[in-house]
Each structure stands twice: as C-alpha cells, then as structure tokens.
C-alpha cells in the first residue's frame, strides 16, 4: 500500500483533477490511499473571508463566498456534467460557511476553533467532488473527512496527530472500505480533538496527513505530488537554474522546510523518519519525471551543498549591555519571556564577548516581544546593565543545507566570501546549529540577490 498526496495546485482546475485521476488509476495495483489538499487558493480565501467577516465587511466576504462557490460548481459541471446530488452537498457547505461568517460579523471576533472549522471546508468539498468523479470513471472510491478519524492535540491551527487513538479510529472508520475494495479519498490538513472538534495541522499540513497515514499503515512509500520536479537546489520561483535533486535525506529536507522551503511541511518528516518509509516528491505537471527520493541516509554526493533556502519577513532582536557579562540567568529570562508570549525563535546567536544575545522571530511578533522584554528587564535597564533591546526589522534568514558539509572544512569561508564579494552584509550567524546547515541573517532587501549568488557559485559552479 502507498499513500499519495496531491497539493493545491495539483487539484486546482478540472483539467488537473483529470490528470490526478489518471495518476491514481494507473497506480491502483499499489492500493493507494489518496490525500487531497483544497483546490489552490481556497484555504487562503476561507481565511480571508473570515477576516472580512470579523471586520464587518459584508460585501467583501460575500464576494469571496461567490468566488469559492463558483470555483467548486464550475468544477462539478466540468467533471460531472452538474450532478444535482453533489451540487446539493457542496451547497450545504457553502450555506454553512455564509451562516458562520454572518455570525462572526455579529460577534466581531473569531475563535481559533471556529477558524479551524472554516478552514477545513476546502478539503471537505474537494474530496466529495473528486470521489464522485472517480466513481463516474468506474473507479470505486469513497471520501473520508479526516476529522472523523485522525485524532490530534487540541492546539487549533497547529495540532499534532496522535498515533494510537488515530490507529483505532482508522480501523473503525476507514479500514472497512479498504477491505471492500474502495480507494479512500481523504481530506488532508485536518483532524479532530478527542472530543470530536475539528482541528487543523498548520498551513501546508496535508503533507503531514500523508506521512502520518504512511506511518499508521506501514505504507511502502509516501508520494507527494506537487507543482515542481521534486526537492530543488533552491526555490525555483527565484532561482532560474534551480535543479531537482535525485536523492536527499529526511534530515536535510526537514532543515530545508524549517528554513522556508515550502516543498514539505516542516513537521511532516517525523512520521516517515521514525519508520524509514521512503518519500517521493513528484510533479503532477510532469508525471513521468522520477522526482526526488527522500530516505534515511544522507548519501554523500559529490555535491556537499544540496540546497539553499530562505525565510523573509523576520525581525532580529538584540539584547545588549556590558552588565550581562558573566551574570547568570539573563539568557534564561530572555527566552522565558519569549516562550511566555508564545513566539517562536527561528535562530539564536550570542557573541563570544557575552555582551549581547540576539535572536530572530517573525516580524509581526517583534514589537510585542520588545515591550515584554523591556518590562522584564526594567531594573537592569535603569541600572544600565542592559543598554536596551534593539530591533532590526525586515531581515531574512538564509540557510545553506547539505549533509556533506559535516566534516568538510572551509564551507563557511566559501559562503561568506560569496556574500562579501556580492556586497551582501551578513548581520548575524547562527552558532552551534546542526552540521547539516549554515544559517545567517541578511537584510530583507538583499536576500534574493544573495540566494542567487550563492546558488550560482556553490551549486551551479560546483
Ligand atoms: P503544494 O500545493 O503541492 O503543497 P506548495 O506550494 O506547498 O505545493 O510547495 C511547492 C512549492 O514549494 C514549489 O512550487 C516551490 O515554489 C516551493 N519551493 C521552495 N523551495 C523549494 C525547494 N527547495 N524545492 C522545491 N520547491 C520549493
Ligand atoms: N489547504 C491547506 C493549506 O493551504 C493544506 C495544504 O495545502 O497542505 O494550507
Ligand atoms: Mg504544500
């Protein structure tokens, strides 16, 4: 058995859904479990509409609602010649959506729990359409909403699936259809709490649904179908000559996705890593291309550096002061404050002089953190032990990833020679990060130039 997941652009139009059906049908002998994302742009529209409703902008959310409705009804018409039963079922979701948005408009606010329920509609509508379409083509398929059997933690917006309970629920809900010879078409991205409330696994979470199910069922392989030729040596949207990697390890992909490569959800590698299940990244637009195989071993290729990635819209916070020298506990208090605010630190670096601690967070979390840190260190600031909390907005982290960097001397030297000769100012460098990557901070305006220069010299020129 294999798990096949198709991302948003792979299921974005009726034409694409035809291709997806071809791919599924040509692999029926492998007993696929199919995981689908929402049609491209739909999750974004659901969230955008909710924000309009919250602000009372009725005509705006009604317009978004119309766009979502049209997209799905057009698809039903194109694939199924307008099935009344299916249209009625989709209309029930669309009506519910409009009712929820009206209520949110009245209340003027939305809870994380409601946002998850709304965000799940895109996947739920599509599995119904696609499963009906497969049946029309003569393939026995049955759709499943993952919030009937994937049990998760209760942190809405970023929930984590739980193995034992989901396994039991899978046996109860999905397994009977498998033994009756149906191909299950499952919503990616969503789950339920123990009490049955819908959760989501974070943006891009369908990858995690696929790898989690792969683990649960001891799948032979997990195939992630997307819109590029595999894991690439850089984001093909900004580096023209980015090339597809034949093989790469779980750990390397995890590092890449943690540092911004959207090709897989950052937490989606854990379930397959645990059982050593191979993952293939394949291109729905180019299905005969072999794509990238992701496995445990970081095969030492001739290329020490495999890929270059980046995250934009970050801020660097710098706590400085001579009084920090040798005073224990400052770092602990800094990080406790950040933790209490629920912010996520993407990178830390401390200068060897111990006179500053600097770390990188998302830009929209920065001001709140500066205020909290000023409150936490009020006394130290009055006594001038801490000079202040400096904030640099609009920075980006660039990460150069490759397992072969371990034990290969001189890589950092090469990287910073390239940034230097290209006039890119390096603001901070991560200390003691894993030997699979070297990460550093640059000005947000320089990131694309830097990534291109690094790719040209380290990958294309290698
Ligand atoms: P899907 O909808 O299939 O889940 P995503 O948009 O989430 O697709 O992820 C695929 C996109 O990730 C690609 O279109 C590409 O622009 C982007 N990407 C960024 N870095 C990389 C990389 N190193 N390799 C492949 N794709 C990357
Ligand atoms: N549809 C969800 C999103 O856009 C999940 C996914 O695409 O993986 O984030
Ligand atoms: Mg994705």
């Amino acid at each position: 058995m294999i798990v096949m997941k198709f991302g948003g652009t792979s299921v974005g139009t009726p034409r694409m859904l035809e291709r997806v059906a071809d791919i599924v049908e040509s692999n029926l002998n492998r007993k696929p479990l199919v995981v689908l994302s929402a049609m491209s742009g739909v999750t974004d529209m659901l969230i955008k509409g909710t924000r309009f409703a919250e602000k009372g902008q009725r005509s705006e959310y009604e317009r978004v609602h119309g766009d979502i409705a049209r997209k799905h009804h057009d698809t039903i018409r194109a694939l199924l010649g307008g099935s009344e039963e299916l249209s009625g079922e989709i209309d029930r979701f669309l009506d519910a959506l409009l009712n929820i948005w009206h209520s949110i408009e009245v209340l003027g606010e939305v809870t994380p729990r409601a946002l998850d329920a709304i965000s799940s509609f895109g996947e739920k509508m599509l599995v119904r359409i696609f499963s009906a379409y497969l049946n029309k083509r003569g393939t026995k398929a049955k759709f499943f909403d993952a919030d009937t059997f994937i049990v998760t933690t209760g942190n809405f917006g970023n929930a984590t699936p739980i193995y034992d309970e989901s396994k039991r629920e899978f046996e109860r809900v999905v397994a009977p259809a498998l033994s009756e010879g149906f191909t299950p078409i499952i919503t990616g991205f969503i789950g339920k709490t123990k009490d049955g409330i819908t959760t989501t696994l974070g943006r891009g979470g369908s990858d995690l649904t696929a790898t989690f199910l792969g683990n649960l069922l001891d799948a032979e392989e997990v195939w992630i179908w997307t819109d590029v030729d595999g894991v690439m040596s850089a984001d093909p949207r900004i580096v023209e000559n980015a090339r597809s990697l034949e093989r790469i390890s779980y750990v390397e992909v995890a590092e890449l996705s943690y540092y911004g490569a959207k090709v897989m959800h950052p937490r989606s590698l854990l379930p397959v890593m645990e059982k050593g299940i191979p993952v293939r990244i394949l291109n729905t637009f180019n299905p005969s291309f072999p794509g990238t195989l992701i496995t445990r071993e970081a095969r030492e290729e001739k290329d020490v550096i495999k890929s270059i990635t980046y995250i934009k819209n970050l801020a660097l916070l710098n706590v400085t002061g001579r009084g920090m020298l040798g005073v224990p506990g400052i770092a602990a208090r800094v990080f406790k404050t950040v933790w209490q605010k629920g912010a996520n630190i993407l990178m830390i670096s401390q200068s060897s002089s111990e006179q500053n601690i600097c770390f990188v967070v998302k830009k929209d979390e920065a001001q709140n953190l500066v205020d909290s840190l000023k409150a936490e260190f009020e006394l130290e600031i009055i006594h001038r032990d801490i000079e202040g909390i400096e904030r640099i907005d609009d920075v980006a982290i660039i990460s150069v990833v490759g397992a072969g960097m371990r034990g290969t001397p001189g890589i950092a030297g090469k990287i910073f020679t390239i940034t230097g000769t290209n006039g890119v100012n390096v603001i901070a460098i991560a200390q003691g990060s894993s030997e699979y990557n070297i990460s550093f901070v640059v000005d947000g305006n320089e990131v694309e130039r830097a990534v291109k220069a690094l790719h040209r010299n380290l990958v294309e020129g290698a």
Side-chain angles (χ1 to χ4, degrees):
M1 136 163 314
I2 59 170
V3 179
M4 287 203 230
K5 174 256 171 179
F6 295 88
T9 44
S10 300
V11 294
T13 62
R15 178 77 198 94
M16 289 309 297
L17 287 164
E18 280 172 22
R19 289 182 181 218
V20 170
D22 292 339
I23 293 173
V24 170
E25 286 169 354
S26 57
N27 287 288
L28 286 177
N29 59 335
R30 291 171 168 265
K31 301 212 181 324
L33 209 81
V34 177
V35 174
L36 299 185
S37 294
M39 296 180 83
S40 57
V42 169
T43 311
D44 283 338
M45 287 194 259
L46 290 166
I47 293 170
K48 202 164 79 185
T50 307
R51 297 296 169 215
F52 284 137
E54 202 179 5
K55 287 185 264 172
Q57 295 170 307
R58 181 177 295 202
S59 59
E60 300 293 324
Y61 72 71
E62 282 178 351
R63 183 178 47 77
V64 174
H65 187 269
D67 292 343
I68 297 174
R70 199 168 323 107
K71 192 163 178 125
H72 290 88
H73 282 303
D74 284 353
T75 305
I76 295 174
R77 212 169 302 117
L79 295 180
L80 291 129
S83 147
E84 290 217 350
E85 194 191 333
L86 183 61
S87 297
E89 208 168 329
I90 298 306
D91 277 335
R92 276 195 292 283
F93 280 99
L94 293 166
D95 292 347
L97 179 63
L98 202 53
N99 283 332
I100 299 172
W101 281 351
H102 284 148
S103 317
I104 289 173
E105 180 182 358
V106 173
L107 293 171
E109 66 169 358
V110 60
T111 60
R113 170 175 162 169
L115 188 60
D116 274 6
I118 296 166
S119 309
S120 75
F121 282 18
E123 272 75 7
K124 286 180 177 172
M125 290 191 284
L126 187 64
V127 293
R128 283 161 173 77
I129 298 173
F130 187 66
S131 149
Y133 175 55
L134 280 183
N135 280 298
K136 183 193 156 200
R137 289 170 53 128
T139 298
K140 273 179 77 177
K142 205 168 203 166
F143 69 84
F144 291 92
D145 293 332
D147 59 0
T148 60
F149 69 93
I150 293 185
V151 182
T152 70
T153 54
N155 45 329
F156 296 104
N158 201 25
T160 302
I162 303 169
Y163 290 94
D164 292 348
E165 284 157 68
S166 302
K167 175 86 182 160
R168 273 198 299 277
E169 288 287 82
F170 182 90
E171 292 303 330
R172 185 177 67 81
V173 176
V174 187
L178 281 177
S179 41
E180 287 166 31
F182 285 98
T183 298
I185 312 296
I186 298 170
T187 57
F189 182 48
I190 66 179
K192 65 165 177 176
T193 64
K194 287 174 193 165
D195 302 326
I197 314 297
T198 303
T199 54
T200 66
L201 313 182
R203 293 307 306 271
S206 298
D207 299 323
L208 176 55
T209 308
T211 55
F212 177 75
L213 289 172
N215 177 307
L216 220 59
L217 303 171
D218 291 311
E220 281 160 53
E221 293 190 353
V222 174
W223 295 0
I224 305 287
W225 291 88
T226 184
D227 61 350
V228 287
D229 274 339
V231 179
M232 316 277 287
S233 55
D235 185 348
R237 282 178 214 190
I238 71 158
V239 178
E240 237 175 79
N241 296 330
R243 61 178 178 83
S244 160
L245 302 167
E246 213 176 297
R247 288 200 49 176
I248 189 166
S249 65
Y250 300 126
V251 183
E252 288 167 308
V253 180
E255 301 256 322
L256 277 176
S257 57
Y258 181 78
Y259 284 108
K262 223 180 132 197
V263 63
M264 274 190 91
H265 180 289
R267 285 187 291 129
S268 66
L269 278 313
L270 290 172
V272 276
M273 215 186 267
E274 191 189 283
K275 288 198 170 164
I277 299 170
V279 176
R280 286 180 200 278
I281 309 288
L282 298 159
N283 188 350
T284 319
F285 295 83
N286 184 15
S288 58
F289 190 79
T292 300
L293 177 62
I294 309 172
T295 54
R296 183 165 283 148
E297 73 274 19
R299 204 176 54 158
E300 305 275 330
E301 295 207 10
K302 65 171 183 5
D303 328 311
V304 170
I305 288 162
K306 295 227 175 96
S307 189
I308 298 155
T309 184
Y310 63 95
I311 321 183
K312 290 208 276 202
N313 296 320
L314 305 174
L316 184 126
L317 301 189
N318 200 356
V319 183
T320 56
R322 290 167 50 85
M324 290 165 63
L325 196 73
V327 178
I330 300 258
R333 282 166 63 198
V334 168
F335 297 128
K336 190 170 137 234
T337 307
V338 177
W339 173 69
Q340 280 167 340
K341 291 286 147 196
N344 189 16
I345 295 183
L346 290 135
M347 195 182 117
I348 300 172
S349 107
Q350 184 177 33
S351 73
S352 53
S353 69
E354 276 191 58
Q355 290 183 17
N356 77 70
I357 297 171
C358 88
F359 56 95
V360 180
V361 294
K362 285 199 199 124
K363 197 167 73 179
D364 52 15
E365 292 174 338
Q367 190 51 50
N368 190 0
L369 285 177
V370 169
D371 296 343
S372 309
L373 287 166
K374 281 189 175 154
E376 170 69 29
F377 292 106
E378 199 183 354
L379 274 183
E380 285 81 357
I381 292 172
I382 291 171
H383 293 150
R384 307 225 170 195
D385 287 335
I386 287 181
E387 272 153 37
I389 321 284
E390 191 192 9
R391 163 178 165 198
I392 307 177
D393 264 345
D394 271 321
V395 301
I397 295 180
I398 295 180
S399 225
V400 177
V401 175
M405 292 195 312
R406 183 162 55 181
T408 309
I411 302 288
K414 262 193 193 164
I415 291 173
F416 298 119
T417 305
I418 296 165
T419 50
T421 46
N422 285 277
V424 174
N425 180 30
V426 173
I427 303 171
I429 301 172
Q431 235 179 33
S433 64
S434 91
E435 290 176 279
Y436 289 94
N437 89 73
I438 292 176
S439 302
F440 51 95
V441 179
V442 300
D443 187 292
N445 292 317
E446 295 186 339
V447 64
E448 298 198 358
R449 191 155 52 86
V451 170
K452 284 180 183 159
L454 288 163
H455 191 269
R456 207 166 41 241
N457 289 283
L458 296 171
V459 178
E460 291 165 50

